[in-house]
Amino acid sequence: MKFKKFGNKWVVRIDKGEEVIQTIKKICEDNKIKLSSLSGIGAANRVTVGLFNTKSKQYQSRELIGDYEITNLSGNISTMNGEIYLHLHIGLSDSKYNAYGGHLTSAIISGTGEIIIEEIDGEIERGFNKEVGLNLLFK
Ligand code: FE
């Protein structure tokens, strides 16, 4: 991974074999980025996407293995119990240009990942909401 800061924006390159969430989390922890929006593109070959079932309040997930373009990676960074918390969604396309997507659990970069983190000067803590079953922004 490589990154450079310009103003309140961080330009990040994630390299082949690196996992997206772990890599971004490490950058945020090392540089005390506690609140931000994020967007990116790239290529990945092992991705776990999820869907939150609002009735059961559980995530169902699926692992996608093969060549995928990351057509869009977007989300935000906040904190929960003082720890960096990433909430990312991903869009992918395969060799037949079919699209897949969902809540991102894990993605291994196969080519490169190009991410822009836009830092916000502040901090927002998440809290678990029992009624929804999710960790919501603003405790
Ligand atoms: Fe989500």
Side-chain angles (χ1 to χ4, degrees):
M1 145 262 280
K2 278 185 187 293
F3 59 88
K4 198 168 177 182
K5 189 184 186 187
F6 300 92
N8 68 329
K9 294 182 181 72
W10 299 75
V11 179
V12 180
R13 186 186 89 192
I14 304 180
D15 294 319
K16 187 174 179 173
E18 291 178 333
E19 199 282 315
V20 171
I21 292 186
Q22 285 173 27
T23 304
I24 296 170
K25 202 171 173 187
K26 181 163 172 37
I27 292 170
C28 292
E29 284 169 352
D30 291 351
N31 297 281
K32 307 212 164 15
I33 302 169
K34 294 189 168 178
L35 185 63
S36 77
S37 65
L38 179 161
S39 67
I41 54 170
N45 58 7
R46 182 181 284 264
V47 183
T48 304
V49 288
L51 171 76
F52 184 71
N53 182 316
T54 54
K55 281 205 178 94
S56 68
K57 298 175 183 171
Q58 300 281 338
Y59 275 98
Q60 62 179 71
S61 65
R62 181 173 165 187
E63 187 176 46
L64 301 165
I65 296 168
D67 273 332
Y68 293 95
E69 291 286 337
I70 301 172
T71 56
N72 183 54
L73 175 71
S74 60
N76 57 63
I77 294 155
S78 57
T79 56
M80 187 160 167
N81 301 318
E83 301 277 310
I84 299 295
Y85 189 107
L86 268 64
H87 186 192
L88 303 180
H89 286 190
I90 194 166
L92 301 160
S93 66
D94 69 9
S95 59
K96 294 195 168 82
Y97 312 103
N98 290 311
Y100 303 83
H103 177 94
L104 182 65
T105 303
S106 164
I108 306 291
I109 294 297
S110 57
T112 191
E114 301 180 351
I115 317 288
I116 312 278
I117 299 171
E118 193 166 350
E119 193 176 355
I120 300 165
D121 184 20
E123 206 172 323
I124 293 177
E125 269 277 302
R126 282 181 184 269
F128 182 71
N129 181 298
K130 230 165 100 181
E131 201 186 316
V132 182
L134 289 169
N135 300 321
L136 303 186
L137 279 172
F138 301 100
K139 203 175 174 178

